[in-house]
């Protein structure tokens, strides 16, 4: 059976990044690697952190419809190449696409069979506290992120599942339940049942 | 949150009955109790095994639209009363409706939000062996049941999930995953998120 495409979104402070890192410790998950035109930073590896592309190469990928979503940020392109995802799911791995809400909506049009999971902190108060306790963001940035989280949360209906990250272990378990359960969907059993009926 | 309505179907020999009995040992599951006009057998209890009704009472229930499905078998009525299901799910329990395929299709029209799970043995060969090893059925009945299983399996697409009961513990786990995962569906989070956005 082909692997699943899991699109994970959630505001800064939702714990999405940590959840993804933990999921990747399981054998069956792989992370989708984005393409970007931004410069490689020290310690980053091509094909691990990003696929690094020139502006011309990236625009060629757009033209050839090789990306399932892309955005232009601070003079650089960021996007998700199709071919890598298709290869990984064909090998049977579940691929995680960590994508913000607008990108996720683009993916939904391309991959209606992908599974959309929105990760959220239990409350906005808790989200704020987590952002503040990071100690890396000035108050204006915290407020901006909260405003954005609110806008994103308004689109929750576009997602299949909501995971409230109150407890990290539970949140991870919930995503694993979703994955296991999605694999039992009847649409995946067409060939299997066909074979049963023939024998 | 309201409990889920789980409709479980599957041919004789699929192990459906054992799975249901095991699920009922968990706190959150309750079994839907059918109404019938057949006579109470020794050891049976009203409100546990069935709700026993007279023919007139049953036909009154049909007339008043109090049943989500019913069938007429060997001169007796069998049906699923709505009110019991509604009460149980309001209390937050997940209710199991063990119903054959035609009845399940009726339920689907009434409760499009119910979750439909089809339980099957890994192969027809295995199904046949299980039916024979019961030692309670004559060969003609075994053949009839296999034919029926085949007809039912052709309708697998009407079900949301397929559980192949190769190993009892795994099959039970799978139904629990489905239940946990279904509760994370975004449609159940409307009020929760409304509250988050207001506070």
């Amino acid at each position: 059976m082909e692997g699943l495409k899991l699109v994970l979104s959630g505001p800064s402070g939702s714990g999405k990044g940590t959840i993804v890192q933990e999921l990747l410790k399981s054998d069956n998950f792989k992370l989708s690697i984005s393409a970007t035109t931004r410069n490689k930073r020290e310690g980053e590896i091509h094909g691990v952190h990003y696929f690094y592309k020139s502006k011309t190469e990236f625009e060629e990928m757009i033209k050839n419809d090789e990306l399932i979503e892309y955005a232009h940020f601070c003079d650089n392109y960021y996007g998700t190449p199709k071919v890598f995802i298709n290869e990984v799911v064909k090998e049977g791995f579940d691929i995680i696409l960590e994508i913000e809400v607008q990108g996720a909506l683009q993916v939904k049009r391309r991959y209606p069979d992908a599974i959309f999971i929105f990760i959220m902190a239990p409350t906005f108060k808790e989200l704020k506290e987590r952002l503040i306790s990071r100690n890396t963001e000035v108050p204006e940035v915290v407020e901006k992120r909260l405003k954005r989280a609110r806008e994103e949360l308004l689109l929750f209906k576009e997602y299949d599942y909501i995971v409230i990250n109150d407890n990290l272990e539970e949140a991870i378990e919930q995503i694993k339940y979703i994955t296991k359960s999605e694999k039992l969907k009847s649409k995946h059993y067409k060939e299997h049942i066909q074979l049963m009926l023939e024998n």
Side-chain angles (χ1 to χ4, degrees), chain A:
Chain A
M1 186 179 142
E2 264 200 7
L4 303 170
K5 303 176 197 89
L6 298 175
V7 176
L8 300 193
S9 304
S12 303
S14 63
K16 183 185 45 167
T18 315
I19 289 174
V20 169
Q21 288 316 311
E22 288 300 315
L23 287 173
L24 290 173
K25 291 179 186 165
S26 307
D27 292 339
N28 60 314
F29 292 103
K30 295 244 183 197
L31 188 62
S32 161
I33 301 164
S34 299
T36 183
T37 56
R38 84 149 165 73
N39 289 327
K40 190 154 83 176
R41 292 180 194 151
E42 215 182 301
E44 287 185 350
I45 302 157
H46 179 84
V48 174
H49 297 90
Y50 282 101
F51 296 113
Y52 301 92
K53 302 282 175 184
S54 70
K55 200 174 167 233
T56 320
E57 285 172 329
F58 202 101
E59 287 171 348
E60 198 65 24
M61 290 173 84
I62 297 173
K63 220 180 79 190
N64 296 336
D65 195 26
E66 291 171 32
L67 300 165
I68 54 159
E69 60 90 33
Y70 71 94
H72 201 251
F73 261 158
C74 310
D75 261 343
N76 278 306
Y77 282 117
Y78 295 82
T80 307
K82 246 189 258 187
V83 57
F84 179 71
I85 295 175
N86 293 347
E87 275 170 18
V88 167
V89 296
K90 260 199 200 96
E91 286 165 14
F93 293 104
D94 301 323
I95 194 151
I96 299 173
L97 291 88
E98 199 187 327
I99 294 181
E100 48 69 51
V101 174
Q102 290 309 324
L105 298 183
Q106 283 185 56
V107 175
K108 205 175 179 182
R109 287 190 287 273
R110 289 304 188 105
Y111 289 138
D113 63 331
I115 295 139
F116 292 79
I117 304 175
F118 192 89
I119 299 169
M120 181 55 193
T123 59
F124 276 99
K125 192 166 165 280
E126 170 73 20
L127 192 69
K128 190 174 180 173
E129 278 165 15
R130 288 185 193 171
L131 287 170
I132 292 170
S133 72
R134 280 183 183 180
N135 248 335
T136 53
E137 253 105 47
V138 292
E140 292 76 47
V141 174
V142 168
E143 284 310 316
K144 221 167 123 182
R145 289 199 189 280
L146 285 172
K147 190 167 165 275
R148 190 176 168 141
R150 184 171 284 275
E151 286 161 8
E152 289 186 344
L153 198 59
L154 284 168
L155 294 166
F156 80 95
K157 282 181 198 161
E158 301 288 336
Y159 286 77
D160 300 307
Y161 298 98
I162 308 287
V163 168
I164 304 286
N165 180 15
D166 197 1
N167 170 297
L168 184 65
E169 277 69 41
E170 271 178 35
I172 294 162
E173 278 308 298
Q174 290 182 341
I175 293 174
K176 289 184 181 174
Y177 293 145
I178 293 169
T179 316
K180 287 177 180 169
S181 170
E182 281 286 339
K183 289 185 179 175
L184 300 169
K185 284 266 173 87
S186 60
K187 64 180 176 189
H188 302 302
Y189 280 83
K190 271 180 219 166
E191 287 173 34
H192 190 111
I193 288 175
Q194 196 54 45
L195 273 173
M196 280 174 89
L197 289 166
E198 281 165 15
N199 288 330

